[in-house]
Amino acid sequence: MTSPLNSAEFRQDFAIIAGWMTFGGKVLDLGCGDGSLLQFLRQSLEVRGYGVEKDDANCLAAMGNGVNVIQMDLEAGLSGFEARSFDVVILSQTLQAMRNTEGIVQEMLRVGREAIVTFPNFGYWRHRMQLIAGQMPVSEELPYQWYDTPNVHLCTIKDFDEFCVNHHIQVLERRVITNGEAVHRLPNLLGSLAMYRIRRD
Amino acid sequence: MSESTSIGIVAPKIAHFSEPLALKSGEILPQYDLVYETYGTLNADRSNAVMICHALSGHHHVAGKHSEEDKYPGWWDNLIGPGRPLDTNKFFVIGLNNLGGCHGSSGPATLNPATGKPWGAAFPVVTVEDWVNSQARLADYLGISQLAAVIGGSLGGMQALQWTLAYPERVRHALVIASAPNLTAQNMAFNEVARQAIITDPEFYGGDYYAQGVVPRRGLRIARMLGHITYLSDDAMGAKFGRKLRDGNIKYGFDVEFEMESYLRYQGDKFAGEFDANTYLRMTRALDYFDPALPYGGDLSAALAGVKAKFLVVSFTSDWRFSPARSREIVKALLDNELSVSYAEVTAAHGHDAFLMPDPHYHAILRTYLGTVLSAADDASRSAADTGVAS
């Protein structure tokens, strides 16, 4: 369920993920969409990988992109995957649309030695402004109306940091970007996309 | 997308094999014939061959018609032809009738060269492994050392999987559709009821009914009726027949009253008139016996350790005889071995029969996957596999 970000930010997003990968590593991309991230990682780092995707059209697109895609619903967990069978498990901008949010993060950390989670930061100032103005935020990162959004578990960077502490998850690295640019100051206010590299404590 | 058409008029051919075939049962088939058809053209480096493995009641006539007068084309005509998902402009497609069949390959109804009489009960019980060995010989006969793909649904999917186990260097892609790594007890139970219907028919004569000039029609008919129930979903039967009465009235008797009964009887009668009961027994046994994980204590991942092929696994949501969960077992074993696999779980109402139907998404999946089979990346894997053979 990748949101339609502009292409500059999209590549930045990919580039950061690629920077957290090892050459030839084994990757599982959950909610892989049309497989473009895996395709990018395969071309740039020769990673071996599989995508997991629920949607018919996305599965077809991923297959057309030459990506190995497994059609299944992430809400059912990752029982088809052995513990520690991947170097990295990625959940790119899908966390907020999961019902079983805690479950999927635990499953990622079971199956992968490391996990990468990215999500739109609900604490981004533009979102806060819209709430202050009295409406649910609608933005490039959150392009849905309240009544048709697939996003059921939106969170802020501060929320996710706390989640990691409470769930004994070690944050190895955190990057925050807005319009493709790195954000260092006041990330929870100025960052639109949060990216975490995590593992079990 | 180019225009899709039928392959047109096709003709079966027969390949005779005089080298004995050692069967899994320990018996030896001294010589045998395989009837087959081909569609499309084998390319110069013989790298575009695709074998179609048939299911319980299938055969070599997969696509096209034998004459303009034929009412129906081959059993998977919607898949195969110029511009179709398995595009005969690109691929050389081979369909065959398996050993023990009743459509021209050596089987119980053909003459045993040793006696000059029909084999009957004496025809050996053949297995998926035996079929794949005979299919490999057919590939040899056609001058094909490596298949671009093996495709099969249901029992055919088991053969596609077996190809990758028995001949890892000889197959680049396996398309395993609506299949399973073995049958569940419930699935085997349906086969047992079907066989009992045939074997207890007074005209079965222990399998040697040919000499009596009869066929165990009643048994075969019931076997097929039972099969048809399991190939459809409850919803599909409901949608097709519901509780509709044939002529609107309940008659308080036991003749055909509901539309569903009329359908089952029609299908049963049609099948009993054209299929051989001994073949039916053997096909169901081949299904029962297939269990590649058995020598590995049930560990399918261990069984697949030597596999090299890339896989597409497809299941259908309403298929309860070969349920998606069984396909996911195959996928898991492939993932455990870090093999290349894609898996599609197609939303379809038709139950097991869905694999033969031209559902647009299902066909798009097959078209897209097969589109990658002769790509540049596939060429690379081909040379890798060739190197493997040479070294």
Side-chain angles (χ1 to χ4, degrees):
Chain A
M1 215 161 296
T2 308
S3 55
L5 298 174
N6 67 59
S7 59
E9 182 158 17
F10 216 60
R11 280 196 295 269
Q12 179 64 8
D13 179 2
F14 284 15
I16 290 170
I17 291 174
W20 288 343
M21 292 289 163
T22 51
F23 190 85
K26 195 179 165 198
V27 179
L28 184 64
D29 184 9
L30 305 179
C32 70
D34 66 1
S36 50
L37 173 60
L38 276 172
Q39 200 181 18
F40 171 77
L41 294 173
R42 195 180 53 200
Q43 283 160 5
S44 54
L45 290 166
E46 294 183 22
V47 303
R48 300 159 296 139
Y50 305 88
V52 172
E53 178 57 51
K54 182 173 68 173
D55 178 71
D56 280 352
N58 279 340
C59 283
L60 198 55
M63 213 178 276
N65 284 330
V67 165
N68 282 317
V69 60
I70 310 296
Q71 186 166 30
M72 57 178 262
D73 186 355
L74 291 178
E75 300 288 0
L78 300 175
S79 59
F81 300 92
E82 289 292 327
R84 302 184 78 75
S85 57
F86 286 86
D87 295 318
V88 182
V89 181
I90 303 170
L91 187 66
S92 175
Q93 300 185 57
T94 302
L95 182 75
Q96 74 282 358
M98 295 286 304
R99 288 187 183 278
N100 187 10
T101 312
E102 283 181 286
I104 195 63
V105 175
Q106 298 294 2
E107 276 287 82
M108 290 173 75
L109 294 170
R110 177 183 67 83
V111 169
R113 276 176 274 277
E114 285 182 19
I116 294 171
V117 176
T118 80
F119 57 87
N121 176 27
F122 201 69
Y124 182 45
W125 69 273
R126 288 184 186 276
H127 299 152
R128 298 191 194 197
M129 291 299 286
Q130 290 184 55
L131 271 176
I132 289 169
Q135 289 203 290
M136 282 298 283
V138 178
S139 66
E140 222 172 309
E141 297 77 24
L142 300 173
Y144 303 99
Q145 296 294 332
W146 64 272
Y147 49 82
D148 65 6
T149 181
N151 299 329
V152 292
H153 280 142
L154 289 159
C155 70
T156 69
I157 289 172
K158 197 172 170 183
D159 288 330
F160 195 75
D161 283 341
E162 198 174 282
F163 174 88
C164 290
V165 171
N166 293 339
H167 290 79
H168 309 289
I169 294 165
Q170 185 187 357
V171 177
L172 296 165
E173 271 183 86
R174 188 187 76 187
R175 299 284 289 275
V176 178
I177 55 178
T178 301
N179 298 327
E181 301 287 329
V183 175
H184 301 291
R185 208 165 47 89
L186 299 174
N188 196 32
L189 189 64
L190 301 180
S192 70
L193 183 72
M195 307 180 67
Y196 284 74
R197 180 173 156 231
I198 57 178
R199 72 174 178 206
R200 271 192 179 146
D201 243 351
Chain B
M1 201 178 292
S2 56
E3 201 183 330
S4 124
T5 53
S6 173
I7 190 79
I9 303 299
V10 297
K13 301 175 197 105
I14 290 194
H16 178 73
F17 297 86
S18 49
E19 192 191 338
L21 183 70
L23 304 173
K24 198 181 178 194
S25 64
E27 286 196 61
I28 289 168
L29 204 55
Q31 54 174 302
Y32 54 94
D33 291 334
L34 291 176
V35 61
Y36 69 98
E37 289 182 4
T38 66
Y39 322 113
T41 311
L42 188 61
N43 61 10
D45 62 356
R46 297 168 181 267
S47 63
N48 67 334
V50 174
M51 191 170 282
I52 307 292
C53 301
H54 69 75
L56 203 155
S57 62
H59 43 70
H60 58 289
H61 183 38
V62 188
K65 290 183 172 181
H66 286 156
S67 75
E68 295 291 355
E69 289 72 46
D70 278 4
K71 201 169 164 194
Y72 300 108
W75 57 270
W76 218 351
D77 187 77
N78 61 37
L79 180 76
I80 301 159
R84 293 204 170 157
L86 181 52
D87 190 343
T88 48
N89 291 326
K90 289 168 62 185
F91 292 102
F92 176 67
V93 181
I94 307 158
L96 83 156
N97 183 214
N98 280 327
L99 283 175
C102 54
H103 292 89
S105 291
S106 296
T110 62
L111 295 183
N112 178 352
T115 63
K117 291 178 183 159
W119 279 92
F123 195 86
V125 171
V126 283
T127 63
V128 169
E129 291 88 333
D130 300 330
W131 285 338
V132 168
N133 290 338
S134 69
Q135 289 163 8
R137 288 197 183 169
L138 179 63
D140 293 340
Y141 173 89
L142 295 170
I144 296 156
S145 58
Q146 188 187 59
L147 294 164
V150 182
I151 306 179
S154 191
L155 176 56
M158 291 175 166
Q159 293 159 59
L161 178 59
Q162 176 60 25
W163 257 98
T164 70
L165 291 162
Y167 301 98
E169 312 289 352
R170 296 195 65 177
V171 52
R172 294 202 299 283
H173 296 265
L175 283 73
V176 177
I177 303 167
S179 194
N182 63 17
L183 293 193
T184 59
Q186 186 199 47
N187 205 333
M188 289 195 290
F190 289 119
N191 288 342
E192 173 59 4
V193 175
R195 281 192 300 270
Q196 282 298 307
I198 291 167
I199 290 167
T200 59
D201 186 315
E203 294 187 321
F204 180 63
Y205 291 103
D208 291 317
Y209 45 84
Y210 311 104
Q212 313 289 327
V214 293
V215 291
R217 177 181 293 269
R218 280 163 291 184
L220 193 52
R221 179 170 173 267
I222 291 166
R224 185 60 169 178
M225 288 167 81
L226 173 70
H228 261 285
I229 299 167
T230 70
Y231 304 148
L232 288 171
S233 67
D234 193 10
D235 286 348
M237 274 189 119
K240 197 166 180 174
F241 311 109
R243 295 184 50 84
K244 271 196 297 271
L245 287 158
R246 206 164 159 217
D247 53 16
N249 298 310
I250 283 184
K251 292 174 179 161
Y252 302 96
F254 302 103
D255 209 345
V256 170
E257 292 188 19
F258 292 96
E259 285 287 3
M260 168 273 302
E261 295 166 350
S262 166
Y263 168 82
L264 285 181
R265 289 190 193 195
Y266 171 77
Q267 290 295 339
D269 286 335
K270 182 163 158 267
F271 191 72
E274 61 193 26
F275 206 81
D276 182 62
N278 279 318
T279 291
Y280 203 91
L281 298 181
R282 280 160 183 74
M283 295 287 166
T284 56
R285 260 308 186 218
L287 273 162
D288 294 350
Y289 288 154
F290 184 66
D291 191 3
L294 187 65
Y296 299 86
D299 184 347
L300 188 64
S301 301
L304 268 53
V307 169
K308 294 187 172 171
K310 299 177 176 180
F311 278 73
L312 174 66
V313 179
V314 181
S315 71
F316 300 90
T317 50
S318 58
D319 183 352
W320 55 278
R321 192 148 183 199
F322 290 81
S323 71
R326 304 309 318 279
S327 283
R328 286 196 292 262
E329 287 178 41
I330 299 174
V331 172
K332 181 175 186 305
L334 295 167
L335 287 170
D336 287 347
N337 284 292
E338 301 193 10
L339 289 160
S340 176
V341 53
S342 280
Y343 170 62
E345 200 164 296
V346 178
T347 303
H350 288 98
H352 190 52
D353 269 353
F355 90 85
L356 292 169
M357 299 192 176
D359 173 81
H361 176 64
Y362 166 46
H363 269 201
I365 291 277
L366 295 181
R367 181 186 292 279
T368 301
Y369 187 86
L370 288 165
T372 67
V373 165
L374 292 180
S375 66
D378 191 61
D379 278 346
S381 81
R382 184 164 79 228
S383 16
D386 285 348
T387 314
V389 175
S391 58

